[in-house]
Amino acid sequence: DSGESFVNAIKREVKEETGLTINIDTMTEILSMPRIMGGKSYWGHTYLIKDWYGMVVTEEPHIVKWTTFSELEEGSFGSWNTIAKDCLEAVGIDIK
């Protein structure tokens, strides 16, 4: 435990992974469920953040870009992203 607060950890991770600065007050959890990866069990969480600023820039080794849910569903987290899309649609958010 690093002593870092949950809110600060989310802000830091989003900034590190995407280059974006988020308004934490607009954050809503849309999906939370157990996952198993690499033989280890953990809880996965997905949040909707309605207010952010900055440009997508990162030094992470993977691609970070604006994309479609169709492309996300074809990726390595495809089944998770399908469930996240269904959760967003269930609360009235139109996914195109």
Side-chain angles (χ1 to χ4, degrees):
D1 182 13
S2 69
E4 182 177 34
S5 75
F6 174 73
V7 168
N8 285 341
I10 288 176
K11 288 179 176 180
R12 178 184 48 75
E13 280 296 319
V14 170
K15 185 71 170 180
E16 286 175 6
E17 298 285 332
T18 67
L20 299 174
T21 300
I22 61 170
N23 177 349
I24 206 78
D25 295 330
T26 68
M27 183 175 84
T28 304
E29 186 171 37
I30 60 162
L31 175 59
S32 177
M33 66 182 204
R35 293 189 48 114
I36 298 175
M37 254 181 103
K40 294 187 178 199
S41 177
Y42 65 95
W43 277 86
H45 304 273
T46 299
Y47 297 90
L48 173 66
I49 298 171
K50 296 180 182 178
D51 186 28
W52 69 89
Y53 63 91
M55 297 185 62
V56 174
V57 177
T58 183
E59 294 183 17
E60 294 289 324
H62 50 270
I63 297 171
V64 177
K65 64 180 182 177
W66 296 113
T67 189
T68 64
F69 262 98
S70 296
E71 185 175 359
L72 290 173
E73 290 174 301
E74 295 170 7
S76 58
F77 291 97
S79 59
W80 182 273
N81 290 322
T82 297
I83 296 168
K85 180 180 82 172
D86 292 345
C87 290
L88 288 166
E89 290 174 338
V91 297
I93 296 174
D94 183 31
I95 304 297
K96 297 178 183 177

